[in-house]
Amino acid sequence: MMVMIQCYAIFWLLSTITSLKLIMNRLGTEDEDEKQREERDELEAMGKMFSGEFISRMFILIGALLLVFDCVGFFLTYQYVEFRPWQLAVFYIALFALSGDTVHNIYRYRGLRAEGADVSAILTESFDDIKSGWNLLSLAAIGGKLILGVLLVLWTVFSA
């Protein structure tokens, strides 16, 4: 059983590192490079090809699956890690930040379902919105998950 939890913890840690790397790459580029132009063009093409309702359902489904994945990680961390006070504070801050980020994403993409919504504009706006204050909430959630993932890996490795 502990081996399965260790594998889950390592996979959760690696997925969190990947998320952090993606956001940090986007924050690190001041000017629009070729890769960002290609991503923006892909989003515009997706907005023209699919309906807003389909894209909204797809984002909500993917977001829900990632949220379940994170909730299992939070549960396992709470179950197996003996927290110090600062670690418990990180746990609750990350939980709050993840909840706030989820609510913000649902609010942002609910406009895709409206009749006559400019789907391409909504998608590119969320792509260009990388410098907003809401990204601090995303970074807090990802940073907290990173710390909790490391704690879970360490506690499961050294307690076995």
Side-chain angles (χ1 to χ4, degrees):
M1 179 69 177
M2 192 61 74
V3 173
M4 289 176 26
I5 295 170
Q6 289 171 353
C7 290
Y8 190 89
I10 290 170
F11 187 69
W12 189 44
L13 182 63
L14 291 175
S15 69
T16 304
I17 289 170
T18 303
S19 298
L20 184 63
K21 183 181 180 300
L22 289 172
I23 287 183
M24 295 307 286
N25 283 344
R26 293 274 315 280
L27 286 174
T29 57
E30 289 296 325
D31 55 342
E32 185 175 312
D33 61 354
E34 184 65 30
K35 186 177 179 183
Q36 284 185 345
R37 275 194 296 267
E38 287 176 12
E39 289 174 355
R40 185 176 291 111
D41 291 342
E42 288 174 4
L43 283 175
E44 288 176 0
M46 186 172 75
K48 292 175 185 173
M49 185 179 298
F50 299 108
S51 69
E53 187 174 341
F54 175 77
I55 294 171
S56 177
R57 258 191 271 140
M58 181 181 63
F59 281 163
I60 288 173
L61 179 66
I62 291 170
L65 290 174
L66 290 174
L67 185 62
V68 167
F69 182 66
D70 288 337
C71 286
V72 170
F74 275 97
F75 174 75
L76 291 175
T77 302
Y78 190 78
Q79 189 73 24
Y80 289 101
V81 175
E82 295 177 18
F83 290 113
R84 289 190 166 76
W86 71 270
Q87 294 167 341
L88 193 60
V90 167
F91 178 82
Y92 287 119
I93 289 170
L95 191 61
F96 172 75
L98 182 64
S99 302
D101 189 40
T102 301
V103 169
H104 177 256
N105 287 335
I106 289 172
Y107 177 76
R108 178 191 300 175
Y109 293 118
R110 74 172 169 71
L112 291 172
R113 289 185 164 202
E115 274 303 311
D118 188 2
V119 176
S120 296
I122 292 172
L123 292 175
T124 55
E125 176 188 350
S126 65
F127 180 79
D128 293 336
D129 198 26
I130 193 71
K131 303 283 184 184
S132 78
W134 286 104
N135 287 316
L136 294 176
L137 193 63
S138 297
L139 283 174
I142 292 172
K145 289 189 315 185
L146 182 69
I147 291 170
L148 295 175
V150 168
L151 288 174
L152 184 59
V153 168
L154 290 176
W155 273 98
T156 55
V157 166
F158 291 117
S159 68

